[in-house]
Each structure stands twice: as C-alpha cells, then as structure tokens.
Amino acid sequence: MLKQTLLPSQSNSHFYPALALLGATTIFLIDTFTPLDIAIAVLYVAVIMLSATFLSREGLLAISATCIFLTIASFAIVHWDDLESSAMIRCLVSLSAIMVTTLLALKNNKATHDLRDQAALLDLTHDAIYVRNIDDVIVYWNVGAEELYGWKSEEAVGRSVLDLLKTKFPKPIKEIMADLADANRWQGEIRQTKRDGTEVVVASRWSQQRDDKGRPIATMVTNNDITDQQRAEDDLHKAQGELAHVTRLTTLGELTASIAHEVNQPLAAVVTNGEAALRWMQRDVPDLKEVHSSLERMISNGRRASDVIARLRALTRKTDLIRAPLDANELLEDVLLLVERELISKNVALKLNLANVPLPVLGDRVQMQQAIINLAVNAVQAMSTVADRPHALHIRTHIGQDENAQKTVTIEISDNGPGIDPAVIGNLFTAFYTTKSEGMGMGLSICRSIIESHGGKIVATSEPGQGATFSVHLPVREDAA
Ligand code: ADP
C-alpha cells in the first residue's frame, strides 16, 4: 500500500514536466490568439495539478505564479484597447480557479510529503518489511527487504511474493490464512529463498490491513533474519544430544553388573530347563508334561533376556530425537526391567503406586527412559550412604495439574536417603554440580533439559535427613487431554 497508493510516484522521467510546459504554452496561445469567448485560462488548473505530481512546494508556487502571469498577459494582449466586462469576469474566474487549485495542491503536497517521511521511517529499520495485496502481489518493499533478499524495490514490487521468495511455511498456508483472518495477525518462523538461491530462516510477523467495510486489502509482513540463531540452536541441540548420549552410557555403565546379571540369569535358566527337559525325555517313559513345562520356562526366560537386551540396545544406540505417543506407566515398566536387579543387589525395596488410568504423553522414549533411570540410580546411590534404616524407593504416577490448570502426567521418585540440604537444592540441576567423588554432575542437568524440551518441569523437594523426591510433570498428550 504505502508508497504505491499513498504517495505520488516520483518519476524521474521528463515526460510530466514536458507535458506541463506544452500544456501551458498551448493554453496561452489559444487564450491569446483565438477568438473564443470562453475562459480558456481555467485549463491552467490541469497544468498545476500535473505539476503537483513532480514539483516541490516552491516549484508549485512558481508554476502557479507563471499561470497567473500568463492569464493576465493574455487578457492584456487581447483586451488592451477594449476592456469589456465579460472578458474581465472570465479572467477573474480563471485566476480564482488557478489560486484555489494551487491551495488544494499545496495541501495535498504537504500530506503527501508527511506520508513519504513516515514511509521513509520504515527504511531505517533493519527488519525486512514488505506489503502484499490480497492476490499476494508485493506492493511495498523496504530497504531492509532489499538488503535481506537481494531484490531492489522496483524489481520486487508487482511480483507474486510466493513465486519470488519460495516461502516454506511451518503449517499449511490455508491454516495460516485462517489464523490471520481471525486475529488480523500471525507470527511464526518461515523459510525463504534469497536472490542468490540461499535459504534464510526468518521470524515473521504479519498484520492484516482492512478497508472501511472490514474487507482485507493487504498484509504487512515484518521479517527478522534468524538463520544464524537457528543454526546455533541446531548445533546446541546436537551437542546436547551427544552429551545426553555420553551421560546415558555413563549411567548405564553404573548398572553394567546388574544388567549383566539380569541377562545371565535367564540364560542360565534356559540351560537348566533345557537339561531338565532332556532328562524328562530320556526316561523309559518320557514325561511329556514336564518336558512341555520345561520348554515353556525356557521360552519365557529367553524372552526376558532378549527384552533386557532390546531395551539396553535402544538406550545405547545414538538416534535422532523421535517424538511419539507414550504411556508413562509403560515407560516405567521398561526402566524397571533395567534397574530392578540393581535395587535387589543394593537391598532397596521397591514400592510402586502406578495410576490405573492411561498416562498419555508425547515424547522421545529413549530420552524419557534416560531421565527416569538417572533419577532412580541417583536415589539408590543417595540411600547407600544411609545405614540406620531399610532403603526404599517409592515410584508413584498420577494425573495432576500445573499452575495454569493444564492436566499433567506426574512421575514421582522418592527415596529415604540423606535428603538434600536446602542451601544446595537450587544448584542440583546446574551442570557439573556433584557431591560424588566419581560424579560428573551432568545427570540432573540433562534430566532437566530433556523434561523441559518435552514441555514439562522437574522439581526436587526434600526433608533433609528423611529423603528426597524428584517430581517430573509432563503435559498430557493433546489428543488425549
Ligand atoms: P552426579 O550423579 O554425577 O553427581 P547428578 O546431576 O545426577 O550428577 O546429581 C547431582 C547431585 O545431586 C549429586 O551429586 C547429589 O549430591 C545430588 N542428588 C541427586 N539425587 C539425589 C537424591 N536422590 N538424594 C540426595 N541428593 C541427590
């Protein structure tokens, strides 16, 4: 809209000045040398209106004065010896028309300049701003847009924004247009292609302009280049992923002995049951019922070993983040398969209070399991420093509510270890904070970034000397909320 409709075009061509000069000369000649008894000089208003499109205030005043001079000159030449009153009136009418038109043109000229100054302000910003009409044709393109995309205003204006910038939207354009129609605004991240073919990621804010009747006429788009920021975020995510992977391996390393046992035990049972089955078969009268149950035990033990290995392989594999529908209780079952043996070997009683309703969340299974394993291993390690009471790990799941009254799935992991000093409870989630001689201090920091990247929250509470509770709150999956 701006420059195109509000401001007169600032043509550099000599066409309009030449036309104005030709017009003024023609009017003067007709007024002076033809015997027409009409107010020809009134036509000078056309010259003034034409001049207003390319002249400044001073120039316009000069043209107006020239038109007045020419009108009086014609009158003087033609009616020098015969001052008839009708000619005098025609002359006065023409002069009044010239003056009124000049006044109006000056007023219009000022408004135009004010608008041009305001529009020029948009060129001061570093943001790329463009306006597109309802047919997606660009009608305004500021200096920021020229710098970001590489096309000059004259090249961009008049072209379809979709063709020019090959915009890729985060969701179907129909949905975006519906949001824009509802709220008159939209904002989001989009990818566009510059003149040199490279892609930019921009934070885009759209505002819809409507006419008096409320019909949309144009959309102003303000874009900020966030390509570098996006790249840095991607690199950071990658680095976090690598770190999470290393920490996962470290935590699993702490469980190696118990996991090895967890796999060995069913394998030993497979062998024992296999031998038993053979013995039942080698009898004079083979006892097929016993053979059958030995084989069943072999199968179930074999399955258990393969389950543990499968969970372990999933956790040690380096995969990209995959968000999938999960159930918190099922996640815990998988985790317990890997930590149960550790609990037994460290004499920790397990108390489970799992909600008997679905606990739907959306998340990366491996990362979630990593977070819970880490909390459980920390609890076991903390309790190992307490010798005056039996150790118990209490895991509870339930549906709760966050401070915005949104439904959450909550997983609480409590121990009856030494608890946490209130003075340091705020530092627990800081990277490299550890009180263990062999500790890395990364576990809880990674837990927090995992949970927060899933839109959740992790909170530590403690009754010093009595134990600690880590509560993980995750948003209930949208399709199930
Ligand atoms: P690390 O286990 O390598 O020390 P973490 O980030 O997992 O790193 O834990 C940081 C610190 O938080 C631990 O060193 C410990 O002091 C404290 N902590 C974690 N869990 C508990 C718990 N259940 N009870 C008491 N202290 C805990």
Side-chain angles (χ1 to χ4, degrees), residues 60 105 112 126 128-129 143 149 152 288 293 314 369-371 398 451:
L60 198 59
T112 303
H126 297 293
I129 299 178
V143 170
Y149 299 110
K152 290 270 160 215
L288 288 182
S293 48
Q369 289 181 359
Q370 171 176 10
H398 60 99
I451 304 300

Side-chain angles (χ1 to χ4, degrees), residues 393-411:
L393 180 73
H394 189 174
I395 301 183
R396 204 172 145 240
T397 56
H398 60 99
I399 295 273
Q401 255 190 5
D402 66 10
E403 59 277 7
N404 302 321
Q406 296 294 316
K407 271 189 173 181
T408 57
V409 166
T410 299
I411 305 169

Side-chain angles (χ1 to χ4, degrees), residues 242-255:
E242 306 258 328
L243 191 59
H245 183 238
V246 172
T247 324
R248 195 152 66 231
L249 296 184
T250 315
T251 314
L252 287 174
E254 288 163 21
L255 296 176

Side-chain angles (χ1 to χ4, degrees), residues 374 378-379 382 415 419-420 428 433-436 439-441 443-444 468 470:
N374 202 277
N378 272 351
D415 61 66
I420 305 158
L428 291 193
Y433 174 81
T434 182
T435 54
K436 301 170 195 165
M440 265 214 302
L444 287 179
F470 286 81

Side-chain angles (χ1 to χ4, degrees), residues 58 63 94 129 136 143 160 168 171 209 225 256 267 293 296 301 335 337 362 382 394 433 452 460 478:
E58 290 71 25
I63 285 291
S94 300
I129 299 178
D136 289 325
V143 170
S160 155
K168 291 183 198 146
K171 56 181 183 175
Q209 189 186 18
D225 184 1
T256 313
L267 289 181
S293 48
E296 268 182 350
N301 277 294
V335 167
L337 201 59
L362 187 71
H394 189 174
Y433 174 81
E452 287 182 352
E478 248 172 41

Side-chain angles (χ1 to χ4, degrees), residues 120-130 140-156 164-165 192-200 202 223-225 227:
L121 285 177
L122 292 180
D123 282 336
L124 293 180
T125 170
H126 297 293
D127 295 346
I129 299 178
Y130 55 84
Y140 172 75
W141 186 260
N142 82 337
V143 170
E146 290 184 346
E147 282 166 3
L148 176 61
Y149 299 110
W151 284 281
K152 290 270 160 215
S153 172
E154 330 52 285
E155 295 167 308
L164 190 70
L165 299 175
Q192 295 177 313
T193 305
K194 298 204 267 187
R195 185 180 202 156
D196 62 11
T198 54
E199 209 175 61
V200 271
V202 295
N223 288 345
N224 266 143
D225 184 1
T227 315

Side-chain angles (χ1 to χ4, degrees), residues 19-41:
L19 195 64
L21 186 67
L22 181 70
T25 313
T26 311
I27 294 165
F28 176 73
L29 293 175
I30 295 174
D31 197 18
T32 315
F33 300 110
T34 60
L36 295 174
D37 284 344
I38 52 172
I40 296 289

